[in-house]
Amino acid sequence: MKLFQPDLIYFEPQALEYPLGKELYDRYKHTGIPVRMTTSHNRITDLPGENDLEKYRIAKKTLVVGVRKTLTFEPSKPSAEYAIPLATGCMGHCHYCYLQTTMGNRPYIRVYVNLDEIFARAKRYIQERAPEITRFEAACTSDPVGIEHISGSLKKAIEFMGKQELGRLRFVTKFSNVDSLLDVAHNGHTRFRFSVNADYVIRHFEPSTAPLHERIEAATKVAQAGYPLGFIIAPLMVYQGWEEDYTQLLNHLSEALPHTEGITFELITHRFTQTAKRVIQERYPKSKLEMEEENRQKKWGRYGRVKYVYQKEQMQALHRHMTEQIERFFPGASIEYFT
Ligand code: SF4
């Protein structure tokens, strides 16, 4: 898959006071990609586009280089204690992506250049929780591997966490450009997770992400580089032939990987809110994503928000099948959660 390159770039003036901001500005100002200045990375008011859909598509190809001012990290349950903010936004076009709703009308890709300040804050969180281990999730609001060739931030975060006795980093990706991360001194403190799915789901609902065989190849390199490795299978979907497809996926993965010990799995079934459904239908009007409320059961989330999840029997069938097949193909692996 070709590495992502933006069609348009904005810089906050303050970002140029940081080495990474200056480096990106110097790199891009001669490339022919339009470079503009913006007073705030949170408020881009002059994005081109005739209508909302066009603006959305352009935003997904727009990079904004800024300074992260909020250095209070959000919680990131269940996979980590905190979300570490390296970037916000993603160039992928996964129909079901929760960023559709959480990023509202700001779907452009923001990278933050004040990395030393972000790492200093992470260090304080680690000290506050000592002697407990503190885990940081770097993929809560973006796919950091997808933009690593631009920012290099993940490499720095992995190096930083490698030196923290009580700090751990984790992130998940649907991209495969991992080569620059293979020789980093991770010290076993970073868990590299790949988001994988049945071929049907990837083909229909994950445009502009790496194809499965590239993700598997990247996972193999990461395992060989000694990183703790995991897979997130999300969203697990029920459709004609899902059992066979997920079995095939796990079989394929186990054959490609050099070992299965210590691998973790996180399993998340497909769910949607009514707000997400409306946004998805606007942005991907031809999507085949099944979102019929009457086929689902309701689940109340935080702030009384209703999510539509699969019916109880379907959830049980998914849980049973995935557990059996993971035990079959990955005897040394563990399932961290199923939801
Ligand atoms: Fe969202 Fe991940 Fe797809 Fe990017 S790759 S659009 S973050 S689901």
Side-chain angles (χ1 to χ4, degrees):
M1 181 191 187
K2 249 175 70 186
L3 293 177
F4 167 75
Q5 283 306 337
D7 284 349
L8 175 62
I9 309 179
Y10 288 85
F11 283 86
E12 273 181 357
Q14 227 194 322
L16 305 187
E17 293 165 18
Y18 292 83
L20 177 57
K22 175 94 178 43
E23 188 194 320
L24 289 171
Y25 185 77
D26 291 342
R27 192 192 308 165
Y28 281 110
K29 75 179 172 199
H30 299 301
T31 54
I33 301 172
V35 170
R36 297 179 180 177
M37 300 307 286
T38 179
T39 47
S40 164
H41 66 78
N42 283 321
R43 238 169 46 85
I44 307 285
T45 49
D46 59 345
L47 260 190
E50 296 287 307
N51 51 47
D52 287 351
L53 192 55
E54 204 182 335
K55 277 186 198 294
Y56 171 72
R57 299 207 163 252
I58 290 170
K60 281 277 198 181
K61 297 212 78 181
T62 300
L63 179 72
V64 181
V65 180
V67 175
R68 176 77 182 191
K69 290 173 194 85
T70 315
L71 289 174
T72 304
F73 295 2
E74 294 288 330
S76 177
K77 294 288 178 194
S79 69
E81 276 70 42
Y82 294 106
I84 185 166
L86 302 178
T88 310
C90 176
M91 71 298 271
H93 275 278
C94 305
H95 298 181
Y96 55 75
C97 177
Y98 72 101
L99 297 181
Q100 306 281 6
T101 44
T102 55
M103 289 186 60
N105 53 1
R106 293 176 296 172
Y108 42 81
I109 302 153
R110 283 165 268 178
V111 295
Y112 306 118
V113 295
N114 51 330
L115 293 174
D116 289 342
E117 291 162 20
I118 294 167
F119 296 155
R121 188 68 186 96
K123 204 164 182 165
R124 290 222 320 268
Y125 281 119
I126 295 170
Q127 284 160 354
E128 281 164 23
R129 282 177 43 86
E132 298 288 317
I133 297 262
T134 302
R135 297 167 303 165
F136 297 87
E137 170 67 64
C140 276
T141 53
S142 75
D143 187 314
V145 176
I147 46 175
E148 179 63 7
H149 60 291
I150 294 175
S151 69
S153 310
L154 203 48
K155 180 172 183 169
K156 294 193 183 106
I158 295 169
E159 266 165 4
F160 163 78
M161 217 54 88
K163 294 185 195 135
Q164 310 306 312
E165 199 192 333
L166 298 174
R168 298 291 181 272
L169 185 68
R170 48 204 286 138
F171 51 84
V172 59
T173 185
K174 287 187 171 75
F175 293 89
S176 55
N177 49 308
V178 298
D179 289 2
S180 66
L181 304 173
L182 298 177
D183 60 356
V184 182
H186 58 75
N187 202 16
H189 289 187
T190 290
R191 183 169 290 275
F192 219 121
R193 289 122 85 220
F194 286 85
S195 170
V196 291
N197 218 313
D199 188 47
Y200 168 88
V201 177
I202 294 182
R203 266 189 300 113
H204 287 93
F205 308 117
E206 298 184 356
S208 308
T209 62
L212 181 63
H213 72 270
E214 282 190 18
R215 295 183 213 175
I216 296 178
E217 198 181 315
T220 307
K221 291 185 196 170
V222 161
Q224 280 158 351
Y227 278 96
L229 178 66
F231 293 98
I232 298 192
I233 310 185
L236 279 167
M237 285 192 185
V238 173
Y239 57 90
Q240 186 75 37
W242 65 269
E243 282 121 321
E244 204 184 315
D245 284 5
Y246 283 112
T247 300
Q248 211 173 55
L249 168 72
L250 290 162
N251 184 12
H252 193 156
L253 272 182
S254 70
E255 280 176 1
L257 291 170
H259 63 84
T260 57
E261 300 76 49
I263 289 179
T264 54
F265 283 90
E266 293 157 78
L267 306 172
I268 308 172
T269 56
H270 180 248
R271 68 254 344 262
F272 62 91
T273 61
Q274 283 184 327
T275 312
K277 178 176 173 174
R278 185 179 42 76
V279 176
I280 293 165
Q281 286 175 337
E282 275 165 26
R283 290 180 174 168
Y284 304 101
K286 295 195 182 130
S287 179
K288 290 185 164 53
L289 205 55
E290 186 275 313
M291 290 183 291
E292 295 301 333
E293 289 86 347
E294 58 268 30
N295 293 342
R296 304 289 183 114
Q297 61 169 329
K298 286 184 185 172
K299 185 175 173 182
W300 274 268
R302 269 193 295 175
Y303 317 115
R305 251 197 320 241
V306 175
K307 288 178 197 166
Y308 291 87
V309 301
Y310 284 119
Q311 300 285 1
K312 199 168 161 210
E313 301 71 41
Q314 291 173 307
M315 292 292 264
Q316 284 167 346
L318 278 163
H319 186 233
R320 193 172 45 243
H321 185 74
M322 295 310 290
T323 310
E324 274 170 17
Q325 299 305 314
I326 288 171
E327 282 170 1
R328 173 178 170 201
F329 292 111
F330 288 85
S334 59
I335 299 176
E336 292 199 329
Y337 57 87
F338 170 95
T339 179

